[in-house]
């Protein structure tokens, strides 16, 4: 897992370079060094205004909180539809809040469909699956990660 995360982070600058070449972000981020071919500015990307970032983070915390609540309801002995309905409405309101935020760039060539609905649903599903794991699974993960980091 650690190796996958490291490789993914190394490739992120190249993805950013290609996105800049598609003019979805400023083209300055597509600049590569002439000798080495390494992206120069792609790792320095930060173009979100502070007020929009704060609103986005609040909406994201609402989505994550409601996702954790659904997982908690599933693992509790309490059964019923009211808790799930309330958590679903909270998730919907957080995602709707993200949908109404101003867009920094409108894609000129291609775009991702169903944003922010599909990524928000992905957060719900992944946190639900993580929350469904037992304590033993978390301990195994922590021990294996610690061994790999030391190795």
């Amino acid at each position: 897992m650690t190796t996958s995360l490291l490789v993914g982070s190394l490739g992120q600058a190249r993805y950013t370079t290609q996105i800049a070449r598609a003019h979805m972000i400023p083209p300055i981020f597509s600049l590569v060094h002439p000798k080495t071919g390494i992206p120069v500015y792609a790792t320095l990307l930060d173009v979100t205004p502070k007020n929009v970032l704060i609103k986005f983070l609040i909406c994201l915390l609402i989505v994550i909180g409601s996702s954790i609540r659904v997982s908690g309801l599933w693992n509790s002995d309490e059964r019923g539809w009211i808790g799930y309905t309330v958590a679903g409405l909270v998730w919907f309101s957080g995602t709707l809040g993200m949908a109404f935020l101003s867009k920094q760039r409108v894609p000129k060539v291609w775009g991702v469909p169903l944003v922010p609905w599909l990524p928000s649903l992905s957060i719900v599903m992944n946190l639900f699956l993580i929350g469904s794991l037992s304590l033993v699974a978390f301990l195994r993960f922590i021990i294996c990660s610690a061994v790999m980091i030391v190795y």
Side-chain angles (χ1 to χ4, degrees):
M1 185 179 289
T2 305
T3 304
S4 298
L5 290 172
L6 286 173
V7 169
S9 66
L10 289 174
Q12 184 63 42
R14 304 231 179 242
Y15 301 142
T16 304
T17 301
Q18 292 302 321
I19 292 170
R21 288 180 180 168
H23 296 285
M24 294 179 64
I25 58 176
I28 186 98
F29 294 105
S30 66
L31 179 66
V32 294
H33 193 274
K35 283 187 178 180
T36 62
I38 297 172
V40 178
Y41 298 117
T43 56
L44 302 175
L45 183 61
D46 186 8
V47 295
T48 304
K50 192 172 187 176
N51 62 344
V52 175
L53 178 64
I54 291 171
K55 291 175 187 175
F56 172 75
L57 290 177
I58 289 171
C59 291
L60 184 62
L61 287 176
I62 290 171
V63 167
I64 291 172
S66 64
S67 303
I68 291 171
R69 180 65 183 144
V70 167
S71 182
L73 283 171
W74 184 262
N75 289 326
S76 70
D77 293 333
E78 183 181 331
R79 296 290 177 225
W81 58 271
I82 296 173
Y84 292 106
T85 304
V86 170
L89 288 173
V90 170
W91 170 82
F92 183 80
S93 66
T95 307
L96 188 64
M98 278 192 257
F100 283 128
L101 289 176
S102 62
K103 306 295 184 262
Q104 299 306 308
R105 294 272 177 194
V106 177
K108 293 181 182 176
V109 179
W110 56 272
V112 178
L114 299 174
V115 171
W117 300 100
L118 196 57
S120 183
L121 187 61
S122 175
I123 290 171
V124 170
M125 293 173 63
N126 284 307
L127 287 178
F128 174 76
L129 290 173
I130 290 170
S132 299
L133 296 174
S134 66
L135 180 62
V136 175
F138 281 108
L139 291 175
R140 288 177 185 156
F141 171 73
I142 290 169
I143 291 169
C144 288
S145 295
V147 168
M148 290 297 131
I149 289 172
V150 169
Y151 174 72

